[in-house]
Amino acid sequence: MKLGVLEAGGTKMVCAIGDETGQIFEHTLIDTREPEATLQDIIAYFKDKEIDALGIGCFGPIDLDEASPTYGYITSTPKPGWADCDVVGTIQKEINVPIGFDTDVNSSVLGEVTFGQGKNRKCVVYLTVGTGIGAGICIEGALLHGMLHPEAGHIMLRQREDDTYGGKCPFHKNCMEGLASGPALEARWGVKPATLSKEHEAWDLEAYYIAQALTTYIMVLSPDLIILGGGVMKQEQLFPMIREYVKEMLSGYIKTRELEDMDSYIVPASLEEKQGIMGCLELARRAAEKN
Ligand code: ADP
Ligand code: ZN
């Protein structure tokens, strides 16, 4: 099968062609500008490619309820011009193939579950810590949607006493994204997070917040694998610190095989930053199969 991929991000759109085995044959990058021009460029890319189906992993929040009149829309993003944008409908008008549509983080978890280290797991959480924070959740092969989709980066955390930063989330101020996203780090410490030394105190606080969130996910969802990706997680020193804090926060309350081997329980993404694209291939394959 010839499958199309659109990884729709706030700064760039990745368009690609691949197949159901996870192979990617070609790709291109399109800058995210206002919706109309951006979507026209995307349509032009796929127009003569003769794809059998398209998989779209999109920044959100998005409407995933197939019974809703705004299915396939980006809904309440603060990104100028993109709120209430009909992504799926606009593309489908020009490229008439089955379209699989989900969040960018659900695509990433699906990539890991189908082609990476998430194979044969019961419940996998993929958390990205970047410009925003979000989690994709896959339970026994199915992506968790519920009424919308999880927004697990916007959970409330207990702020550490020595942290007086007010928080950066435009909706909730000091939710997890408000305290621990890349822009929150930049606002708290006054420099680009990538320029902070590995020993900087920022990372201990960051690990503390990420660990609090993971502890909540562990209690609520009982995942058997947790994958961490996104720009901030390029700070590899965070991994051992996060594992240590999670152990401390769980306080021995839960005993499982997975928790005994933290190094293989809380892990970095495994598909060389292609987990999102590869997940979109599987979204496309599933859309074709459903059709
Ligand atoms: P996006 O979330 O926009 O898709 P990324 O996952 O790359 O993109 O996240 C970008 C965020 O990650 C920015 O806030 C940036 O400051 C931060 N970031 C990027 N690289 C690093 C790094 N090496 N160390 C710490 N933070 C980083
Ligand atoms: Zn928030």
Side-chain angles (χ1 to χ4, degrees):
M1 251 190 296
K2 198 174 177 193
L3 302 172
V5 161
L6 168 59
E7 217 188 2
T11 52
K12 64 181 195 306
M13 301 281 173
V14 183
C15 297
I17 305 293
D19 70 12
E20 69 279 13
T21 70
Q23 276 201 79
I24 296 152
F25 306 129
E26 59 164 283
H27 79 281
T28 192
L29 300 181
I30 292 169
D31 285 337
T32 305
R33 293 111 45 210
E34 40 87 33
E36 198 172 319
T38 311
L39 289 169
Q40 282 321 310
D41 286 356
I42 291 164
I43 289 164
Y45 174 80
F46 289 113
K47 197 81 191 175
D48 59 353
K49 298 284 194 300
E50 297 183 330
I51 53 174
D52 298 303
L54 176 64
I56 304 176
C58 190
F59 70 92
I62 57 180
D63 188 345
L64 295 176
D65 174 5
E66 286 178 31
S68 155
T70 54
Y71 169 77
Y73 281 51
I74 294 175
T75 58
S76 45
T77 177
K79 195 164 175 58
W82 286 86
D84 305 313
C85 174
D86 181 7
V87 176
V88 172
T90 308
I91 295 174
Q92 198 142 41
K93 246 183 255 159
E94 304 292 330
I95 316 283
N96 190 21
V97 295
I99 295 181
F101 184 59
D102 219 307
T103 61
D104 43 9
V105 276
N106 263 348
S107 310
S108 293
V109 75
L110 187 59
E112 291 282 0
V113 165
T114 311
F115 303 110
Q117 60 195 332
K119 273 185 199 163
N120 304 317
R121 303 290 185 139
K122 293 196 190 99
C123 174
V124 182
V125 171
Y126 181 102
L127 181 75
T128 181
V129 186
T131 307
I133 302 185
I137 298 162
C138 190
I139 301 174
E140 308 200 333
L143 295 166
L144 181 61
H145 291 157
M147 63 168 182
L148 176 75
H149 50 75
E151 279 290 350
H154 290 268
I155 59 171
M156 296 302 147
L157 300 181
R158 189 187 297 170
Q159 201 158 345
R160 205 163 76 177
E161 280 157 22
D162 61 341
D163 180 24
T164 54
Y165 176 56
K168 207 175 165 46
C169 176
F171 294 91
H172 324 107
K173 286 177 84 169
N174 62 348
C175 68
M176 183 194 191
E177 183 170 296
L179 292 175
S181 63
L185 284 168
E186 190 172 334
R188 183 189 285 108
W189 304 106
V191 292
K192 294 266 178 221
T195 65
L196 293 168
S197 76
K198 306 277 174 214
E199 294 74 34
H200 196 281
E201 60 182 313
W203 305 121
D204 181 65
L205 185 64
E206 183 70 5
Y208 173 79
Y209 288 138
I210 294 171
Q212 262 197 59
L214 298 192
T215 302
T216 298
Y217 307 156
I218 291 167
M219 297 303 193
V220 175
L221 296 162
S222 193
D224 51 358
L225 182 68
I226 296 175
I227 303 170
L228 303 178
V232 173
M233 294 313 304
K234 288 184 188 148
Q235 300 290 329
E236 290 173 1
Q237 74 279 14
L238 282 170
F239 281 89
M241 296 159 91
I242 292 167
R243 292 178 188 124
E244 221 24 68
Y245 269 128
V246 168
K247 233 188 264 175
E248 206 178 297
M249 290 171 191
L250 289 171
S251 288
Y253 180 60
I254 303 178
K255 293 192 168 51
T256 66
R257 249 185 306 127
E258 289 80 1
L259 294 176
E260 266 165 32
D261 183 10
M262 278 289 193
D263 290 356
S264 44
Y265 181 55
I266 298 173
V267 295
S270 69
L271 295 170
E272 297 161 341
E273 316 220 346
K274 291 204 284 284
Q275 59 279 351
I277 300 181
M278 292 171 81
C280 289
L281 287 173
E282 175 64 7
L283 281 180
R285 189 199 66 77
R286 289 184 180 192
E289 185 181 74
K290 198 169 151 196
N291 207 258

